[in-house]
Amino acid sequence: MKFSELDLKPEILKALNDMGYQELTPIQEKTFASILNGKDLLARAETGSGKTAACGIPLVQMIDPSLNAIQALILVPTRELALQYVEEIDKISRLTEIVPFAVFGGFSMEIQKAKLRDKVHILVATPGRLIDFLYHTTEIDLTCVRTLVLDEADEMLKMGFIDDIDWILSCLTHRHQTLFFAATMPQEIDRLIKTY
């Protein structure tokens, strides 16, 4: 299937074309309609399968840029993956008013706070840094989050983030869409899926 066959906003199609994206990868083809229709999703996807765009493109399509609030939250295990997500979403959304941003450890919280005060529609975060913000500041408001993405959920569990993920997910008490992406499905993921 080609991206040009999808009912995407013209500015997104133009950005994808400029990026050289013509055809959907298998993971994009299998998940695209479900994400756009607001369904919860569990997908096994290896690194390099196109899952960043599989999340990023529908999220950019669904965001309301006139609403100055975090509308999508993407949790990832590492700052490298956080930066990769923001770069990809930035390219996809470059012809729109949508603002992606990442928060992660090892970088000034004050600079991150200043950006969050301005405008952010899609927030990419590592669990530890997100919890720092939720505990110690008022800069992050998750009440408008419509979609939560857990990418490399299995890696986050391996790295010992299970309690952090539980706590973050328990903060999202309102109705929202949840997307889980993982390369493997360990038992702890099974528990998270059943719970959330």
Side-chain angles (χ1 to χ4, degrees):
M1 182 184 273
K2 293 186 184 305
F3 283 107
S4 56
E5 296 169 42
L6 299 172
D7 188 22
L8 291 171
K9 294 171 187 165
E11 54 269 39
I12 297 174
L13 281 173
K14 166 93 172 74
L16 293 174
N17 194 49
D18 292 349
M19 292 165 75
Y21 285 15
Q22 300 298 318
E23 295 192 357
L24 283 77
T25 66
I27 189 70
Q28 292 162 359
E29 212 166 305
K30 285 188 171 81
T31 60
F32 213 84
S34 294
I35 297 173
L36 283 175
N37 289 327
K39 293 181 178 170
D40 287 349
L41 182 77
L42 172 63
R44 280 180 71 166
E46 297 294 331
T47 303
S49 60
K51 64 181 160 52
T52 309
C55 290
I57 297 165
L59 288 179
V60 171
Q61 175 75 12
M62 294 187 298
I63 293 292
D64 175 0
S66 68
L67 177 62
N68 184 6
I70 298 166
Q71 298 167 51
L73 172 62
I74 303 169
L75 286 178
V76 294
T78 64
R79 85 177 67 170
E80 291 75 23
L81 190 54
L83 289 168
Q84 179 188 314
Y85 254 102
V86 167
E87 274 176 37
E88 185 81 0
I89 291 170
D90 206 36
K91 289 177 192 167
I92 295 163
S93 66
R94 74 180 180 82
L95 301 172
T96 73
E97 300 293 313
I98 294 164
V99 180
F101 185 62
V103 294
F104 46 82
F107 190 77
S108 164
M109 241 177 122
E110 291 308 310
I111 292 172
Q112 291 174 347
K113 274 186 204 175
K115 178 62 185 162
L116 287 163
R117 274 187 220 110
D118 186 23
K119 182 191 274 193
V120 174
H121 297 108
I122 300 173
L123 181 66
V124 186
T126 54
R129 179 49 58 103
L130 180 61
I131 286 173
D132 285 346
F133 269 100
L134 292 171
Y135 263 130
H136 305 295
T137 74
T138 56
E139 265 73 34
I140 291 185
D141 176 5
L142 302 179
T143 56
C144 291
V145 170
R146 288 186 229 159
T147 305
L148 167 71
V149 180
L150 265 79
D151 194 5
E152 296 198 2
D154 50 345
E155 283 303 309
M156 283 197 267
L157 299 183
K158 270 190 223 163
M159 293 166 76
F161 287 130
I162 185 67
D163 292 338
D164 292 352
I165 292 168
D166 266 326
W167 191 82
I168 292 163
L169 293 181
S170 73
C171 291
L172 294 170
T173 54
H174 61 286
R175 191 167 171 75
H176 62 277
Q177 175 184 33
T178 304
L179 311 175
F180 273 69
F181 287 86
T184 59
M185 295 290 165
Q187 218 166 351
E188 273 301 293
I189 283 193
D190 217 35
R191 186 190 64 74
L192 281 176
I193 293 161
K194 287 188 175 93
T195 310
Y196 301 104

